[in-house]
């Protein structure tokens, strides 16, 4: 089969900055349970699933919960998080992202979402990008979390592209690792000291030129 180039985007930290909303919601949970939660700790939850995030937070707070209370707290946190998501609109799309999506559309390069979030579809609808993606793979579709490449491999399959023809945009260490394990080209969005395993690194999308994207997607 002749393959074609395709692009996969992570959502949180790549297309939108939802980390600030996760921070508010996790902080409320921690405070309600009687301990604090810092921005540094929030950083460590990038790309980490909801369940694993709560496990880490409870460890930091030196606290244990029954399974029932764990699930109740997790649901409360998500309801609180969704109250912030409810206020989102297309202005939340990070600078530089629309230009890249427009280029891909105009050049018929298929693109997918590959996110750990179970709220990804809700968020895409709020920012009015839901219809633009050729495929969406999120936390409801996968059984193995990043750095397992499952989420990106399913996305590649849906785009009918070979993994080695896929370019992945990621802001988390686990996500970059997942793309690398999946034999895809990884583009890290964020701090180069943190994302050093990525094939290319940018602070944000405003630093990415169309020439760079063109070169990346050129078929050898
Ligand atoms: C992304 C975020 C994480 C978040 C995870 C699950 O990977 O970077 O901080 O915990 O999604 O999100 P969810 O919306 O399902 O709670
Ligand atoms: Mg992310």
């Amino acid at each position: 089969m002749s393959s074609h180039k395709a692009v996969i985007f992570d959502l949180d930290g790549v297309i939108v900055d939802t980390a600030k909303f996760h921070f508010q919601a996790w902080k409320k949970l921690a405070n309600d349970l009687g301990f604090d939660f810092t921005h540094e700790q929030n950083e460590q939850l990038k790309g980490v699933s909801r369940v694993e995030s709560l496990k880490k937070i409870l460890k930091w707070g030196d606290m244990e919960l029954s399974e029932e209370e764990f699930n109740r707290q997790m649901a409360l946190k998500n309801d609180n998080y969704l109250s912030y998501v409810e206020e989102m609109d297309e202005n939340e799309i990070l600078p530089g992202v629309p230009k890249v999506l427009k280029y891909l559309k105009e050049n018929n390069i298929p693109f997918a979402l590959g996110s750990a979030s179970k709220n990804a579809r809700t968020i895409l609808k709020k920012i009015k990008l839901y219809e633009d993606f050729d495929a969406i793979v999120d936390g409801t579709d996968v059984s193995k979390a990043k750095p397992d490449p499952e989420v990106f491999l399913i996305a590649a399959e849906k785009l009918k592209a070979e993994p080695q023809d896929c370019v992945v945009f990621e802001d988390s260490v686990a996500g970059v690792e997942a793309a690398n394990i999946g034999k895809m080209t990884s583009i890290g969005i964020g701090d180069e000291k943190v994302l050093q395993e990525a094939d290319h690194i940018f602070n944000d999308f405003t630093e990415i030129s169309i020439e760079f994207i063109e070169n990346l997607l050129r078929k050898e």
Side-chain angles (χ1 to χ4, degrees), residues 10 12-13 47 170-172:
D10 173 44
D12 300 281
E170 252 296 344
D171 72 312
S172 73

Side-chain angles (χ1 to χ4, degrees), residues 4 24 33 47 59 90 114 149 172 183 207:
H4 55 83
Q24 301 289 350
L33 291 174
K59 212 178 231 172
E90 53 270 53
S172 73
K183 307 228 176 330
E207 288 185 356

Side-chain angles (χ1 to χ4, degrees), residues 77-88:
K77 181 270 172 179
N78 197 53
D79 286 348
N80 188 10
Y81 174 67
L82 285 176
S83 71
Y84 296 107
V85 168
E86 187 52 41
E87 301 298 314
M88 290 177 83

Side-chain angles (χ1 to χ4, degrees), residues 38-52:
T38 66
H39 280 287
E40 288 69 32
Q41 288 168 331
N42 195 52
E43 280 296 302
Q44 293 180 48
L45 301 180
K46 279 185 179 172
V48 178
S49 73
R50 201 182 303 170
V51 177
E52 290 306 318

Side-chain angles (χ1 to χ4, degrees), residues 26-113:
W26 284 131
K27 187 172 164 61
K28 179 172 179 351
L29 173 145
N31 292 168
D32 288 350
L33 291 174
F35 57 94
D36 206 13
F37 176 68
T38 66
H39 280 287
E40 288 69 32
Q41 288 168 331
N42 195 52
E43 280 296 302
Q44 293 180 48
L45 301 180
K46 279 185 179 172
V48 178
S49 73
R50 201 182 303 170
V51 177
E52 290 306 318
S53 295
L54 182 51
K55 283 185 190 165
K56 278 176 186 272
I57 291 168
L58 292 174
K59 212 178 231 172
W60 291 326
D62 198 16
M63 190 153 213
E64 279 179 32
L65 296 179
S66 66
E67 192 184 332
E68 196 188 342
E69 187 58 13
F70 184 101
N71 289 332
R72 198 180 76 87
Q73 288 295 341
M74 196 167 61
L76 281 175
K77 181 270 172 179
N78 197 53
D79 286 348
N80 188 10
Y81 174 67
L82 285 176
S83 71
Y84 296 107
V85 168
E86 187 52 41
E87 301 298 314
M88 290 177 83
D89 61 23
E90 53 270 53
N91 293 314
E92 294 280 343
I93 301 172
L94 288 168
V97 172
K99 177 189 70 182
V100 173
L101 297 184
K102 184 166 173 270
Y103 171 84
L104 298 177
K105 276 244 174 283
E106 287 174 357
N107 290 278
N108 295 317
I109 295 157
F111 57 93
L113 192 87

